[in-house]
Amino acid sequence: MRRPAGRATLLESNEGEIMWWAIGFGAFLYVMLLLLFGLGLAQKGRWALFLIGFVFPIVWIVGYFAVGRKPEPAQG
């Protein structure tokens, strides 16, 4: 004989679903950071920051907005 689903059973069944939604959102966010900021760094020639960003994605954001030094004209 089956028991009717109680409140605790319903909450436990939703926990797994919420976890997968969070993992999916995290993966989507990671891919967006890679496309927007990571590839922008690679295009600017900042390959070291691009590669470090795979482990620490915050490096992509900080490195993308960091202002690079402009070469000064030669004095002559």
Side-chain angles (χ1 to χ4, degrees):
M1 182 173 209
R2 294 184 60 185
R3 265 186 353 183
R7 183 176 179 152
T9 307
L10 290 175
L11 288 176
E12 290 172 3
S13 67
N14 287 339
E15 286 179 6
E17 183 180 348
I18 292 171
M19 178 191 69
W20 284 110
W21 275 102
I23 290 173
F25 180 73
F28 176 76
L29 184 64
Y30 184 83
V31 170
M32 289 295 107
L33 286 175
L34 171 65
L35 291 175
L36 293 174
F37 298 115
L39 294 178
L41 281 175
Q43 184 180 13
K44 290 181 179 183
R46 298 177 180 171
W47 286 97
L49 293 176
F50 173 70
L51 294 175
I52 294 170
F54 281 104
V55 179
F56 304 108
I58 192 75
V59 172
W60 285 334
I61 299 171
V62 173
Y64 184 81
F65 290 112
V67 179
R69 289 183 284 161
K70 295 180 182 177
E72 296 182 19
Q75 300 291 327

